[in-house]
Amino acid sequence: MNKLAQLRSRGYYIDQLRDLYDAYESGGLPDAERHIIGSALLYFVLSTDIIPDFNFPFGYIDDAIAVRIVLERLESMRRPS
């Protein structure tokens, strides 16, 4: 929750994270999707990632990129073959 407080818990990026968390928590997703979403959520809460979060606001760029990658991956998984 410290990260959300630091980001003031609003904005497009935070909305995406909340949506991912809600989907993950719902339990109604296939395992593959839950694993992908879980990896993005875990990456967000870890402070020791590619760009350390104490370099605010730059430390959150990699988190935003990870969320974007996950959303694109989910979209491609859900697209009919």
Side-chain angles (χ1 to χ4, degrees), residues 1-17:
M1 289 301 170
N2 283 342
K3 279 192 172 185
L4 289 180
Q6 207 172 20
L7 294 171
R8 299 192 180 120
S9 299
R10 61 183 167 197
Y12 182 69
Y13 171 60
I14 297 301
D15 292 343
Q16 290 175 324
L17 280 168

Side-chain angles (χ1 to χ4, degrees), residues 3-71:
K3 279 192 172 185
L4 289 180
Q6 207 172 20
L7 294 171
R8 299 192 180 120
S9 299
R10 61 183 167 197
Y12 182 69
Y13 171 60
I14 297 301
D15 292 343
Q16 290 175 324
L17 280 168
R18 288 185 195 278
D19 290 345
L20 286 172
Y21 178 77
D22 291 343
Y24 182 85
E25 193 176 57
S26 75
L29 297 172
D31 285 343
E33 290 184 20
R34 282 183 51 86
H35 295 156
I36 290 171
I37 291 172
S39 67
L41 296 172
L42 183 59
Y43 192 85
F44 177 73
V45 298
L46 292 174
S47 60
T48 55
D49 48 25
I50 294 173
I51 304 173
D53 295 336
F54 62 81
N55 290 327
F56 187 79
F58 304 108
Y60 294 96
I61 292 172
D62 60 324
D63 296 330
I65 291 170
V67 169
R68 187 73 225 148
I69 290 169
V70 164
L71 291 173

